[in-house]
Amino acid sequence: VHVIRVGQDAVLVEVADAATALDLALWARDRLAVREVVPAARTVLLDGLARPAEVSEELAGWTPGEGLAEEGDPVDVAVHYDGPDLAVVAEAWGIAAEQVPERHAEAQYVVAFCGFAPGFSYLTAREGDGPVPPPVPRRDSPRSRVEPGSVGLAGPFTGIYPTASPGGWQLIGRTDAPLWRPDREPPALLPPGTRVRFVPA
Amino acid sequence: MSLVVLDAGALTTVQDPGRCGWAHLGVPRAGPLDMPAAALANRVVGNPEGAAVLETTMTGLAFRARRGHWFAVTGARCEVRVDGHADAHGAAVWAPAGAEVRVGRALTGVRSYVAVAGGIDVAPVLGSRATDTLAWVGPPRVVDGAELPVGTPTGPPQPHDTPRPRPPGPLHVDPGPRVDWFGADALRRLCATAYTVGADSNRIGLRLKGAPLQRVRDGELASEGMVLGSVQVPPDGQPVVFLADHPVTGGYPVVAVVRVADLHRCAQLRPGEDVRFTPAPPPGGTAPAPGR
């Protein structure tokens, strides 16, 4: 890992990929004196560190795989696979559009990180745990409005829009799962580290 | 006890120190942009420093309360009137039952803070009464006719507190995590010229216009976590200083990070004003001027 100091009390830890970032984030959350732990595609931000000068030393105590070992039960998300971009995804995957739902749902997913909007989760297919679908390009121009519950693909990620927003992901379906409820603990249905199974509805 | 808002102005929000611990779910921290001014308003009326206050934007606010109450206005200088009579800025003011309180247009600065003894007691969302204007997590934006509950005062007003003078001079910056995307002397170039505050600045970011910072490398940055005060540089080279409602992740490189102690000054910079940066002393060096 590569540690970059950010301002007075934060560091950005660079790692190989989203799975490693999640692993490190889950480990750090319970062991470091830190206000925010924000995993992303290739980094983990540790913000509000009580001891920023000592963080490299503390991170040396992390064994890769340790954070992910603490995962809970998978969440099933029922999806109506009727999105407008099934044909685009089928072409990227080299299969027929009718095969996209099965191909998408047979992989096992984990929430690598959240971002973009509260409760918007970036899911990656877990390697060594079923087939990993190939990456999918973003749309050339984003839609001005994507409906809440829309399930989309971009790059290696699957995401679900918790609220209506503009969006450039390829939409393959929709779900009624309650993704974001501020009165619930935790407010996000799919926080980082959650294992997810997509179930064709 | 509650306040009825007669005129919410251009943008009035409820703010307390903000919600921490939710960045990993994509939730901004929020909180008053001018934190020292909000804390002062609370101290003056006898509230804990973290009580919820009202943050106005340029055009002020008018409200009425059924019961008499102490209130204070701090931050951007403005007229304070109770039933038409001019009263003090930066001091505890008594408003009798039914009196109309008018917080005027900002004369200098942008954001005024209104604390009421007992604090604005709207329902907290995720542990905070702060409204975030990026994703609108938190209490709803204050609108004309809104009725805002007020808590029970916990202490007497403090007549002897005064605003601390604002330190003049440039904003102190530390090198950002991606300073190397802009060449070896990027920080020196950022600090060499004045930038002008853009009219599209808001609670999310202070948008600056000036000498563009050119990238020296190609390719896209994978989205990464952003801290308060990050100076992010989009492809047009015009820097944006991330303020309280900033997105928790971003895909543009961060060239520098403004010291938190200087950030409240960004709250009061008007469009068209100039701002400069200067390198903060490294750890162990001379401490920068305290920013409050």
Side-chain angles (χ1 to χ4, degrees):
Chain A
V1 304
H2 181 219
V3 177
I4 309 172
R5 186 73 177 262
V6 183
Q8 284 182 290
D9 65 354
V11 297
L12 201 57
V13 187
E14 290 187 307
V15 295
D17 52 30
T20 314
L22 173 65
D23 182 21
L24 176 58
L26 294 175
W27 177 87
R29 189 179 59 186
D30 297 334
R31 289 171 183 83
L32 302 184
V34 61
R35 188 174 59 230
E36 305 279 2
V37 177
V38 187
R42 274 178 226 138
T43 54
V44 180
L45 175 69
L46 304 172
D47 189 11
L49 284 161
R51 297 178 296 275
E54 292 160 34
V55 72
S56 291
E57 208 173 305
E58 292 181 291
L59 288 173
W62 168 59
T63 308
E66 220 177 328
L68 286 173
E70 299 167 14
E71 61 195 356
D73 294 333
V75 173
D76 286 350
V77 174
V79 177
H80 299 273
Y81 283 99
D82 57 1
D85 300 328
L86 284 168
V88 179
V89 172
E91 194 184 332
W93 289 356
I95 59 177
E98 303 79 58
Q99 296 171 294
V100 168
E102 187 189 342
R103 187 72 192 276
H104 182 254
E106 70 185 350
Q108 304 291 310
Y109 294 85
V110 65
V111 179
F113 55 93
C114 294
F116 179 62
F120 189 103
S121 308
Y122 292 71
L123 297 99
T124 51
R126 288 153 52 106
E127 287 183 43
D129 205 6
V132 173
V136 172
R138 276 170 198 262
R139 288 171 57 83
D140 289 335
S141 69
R143 289 185 170 89
S144 58
R145 181 181 162 96
V146 174
E147 294 301 319
S150 296
V151 178
L153 305 180
F157 300 112
T158 294
I160 314 174
Y161 290 80
T163 47
S165 72
W169 293 38
Q170 308 283 0
L171 305 182
I172 59 171
R174 60 198 159 80
T175 178
D176 297 325
L179 296 161
W180 178 251
R181 283 191 17 208
D183 57 346
R184 181 178 60 192
E185 176 67 39
L189 177 68
L190 307 177
T194 309
R195 288 192 295 145
V196 174
R197 290 186 302 215
F198 289 104
V199 182
Chain B
M1 161 71 176
S2 61
L3 306 179
V4 175
V5 176
L6 305 174
D7 179 356
L11 172 65
T12 295
T13 55
V14 180
Q15 297 294 340
D16 70 7
R19 48 185 69 73
C20 288
W22 302 106
H24 64 291
L25 300 183
V27 180
R29 183 182 329 181
L33 289 204
D34 189 342
M35 193 81 86
L40 172 67
N42 274 324
R43 289 198 306 271
V44 164
V45 297
N47 286 346
E49 282 198 358
V53 300
L54 298 173
E55 179 183 278
T56 69
T57 313
M58 291 301 292
T59 54
L61 166 75
F63 62 87
R64 188 193 300 278
R66 292 189 178 87
R67 285 200 219 158
H69 58 279
W70 290 100
F71 74 97
V73 181
T74 62
R77 303 290 300 191
C78 60
E79 284 191 340
V80 178
R81 290 184 179 272
V82 177
D83 275 342
H85 299 289
D87 227 312
H89 182 277
V93 175
W94 175 255
E100 181 181 307
V101 174
R102 282 205 173 260
V103 177
R105 176 175 292 272
L107 302 171
T108 62
V110 177
R111 295 174 175 90
S112 302
Y113 292 86
V114 183
V116 178
I120 304 297
D121 195 26
V122 294
V125 176
L126 301 180
S128 164
R129 295 181 173 89
T131 298
D132 133 60
T133 61
L134 179 71
W136 297 100
V137 175
R141 173 180 178 159
V142 176
V143 295
D144 296 356
E147 187 157 351
L148 302 172
V150 174
T152 306
T154 52
Q158 307 292 318
H160 301 303
D161 210 329
T162 53
R164 293 165 177 80
R166 284 179 192 283
L171 303 173
H172 293 86
V173 289
D174 290 303
R178 305 299 173 194
V179 64
D180 57 327
W181 281 52
F182 300 92
D185 62 344
L187 211 60
R188 187 192 61 75
R189 278 180 286 124
L190 176 73
C191 296
T193 67
Y195 286 88
T196 305
V197 175
D200 48 354
S201 298
N202 54 25
R203 286 184 43 85
I204 297 164
L206 189 73
R207 296 175 178 277
L208 302 176
K209 317 280 178 232
L213 292 161
Q214 304 291 356
R215 286 185 199 176
V216 297
R217 66 159 78 181
D218 296 327
E220 289 303 304
L221 183 71
S223 281
E224 59 191 24
M226 297 274 145
V227 300
L228 187 65
S230 289
V231 182
Q232 201 192 47
V233 184
D236 66 3
Q238 302 293 312
V240 180
V241 182
F242 273 0
L243 304 179
D245 294 351
H246 73 84
V248 298
T249 58
Y252 298 131
V254 170
V255 68
V257 179
V258 176
R259 287 271 167 113
V260 170
D262 280 357
L263 275 179
H264 67 282
R265 292 159 56 192
C266 298
Q268 305 296 3
L269 289 168
R270 292 186 164 197
E273 282 192 77
D274 280 353
V275 63
R276 282 177 170 270
F277 299 99
T278 192
T286 316
R292 30 190 304 173

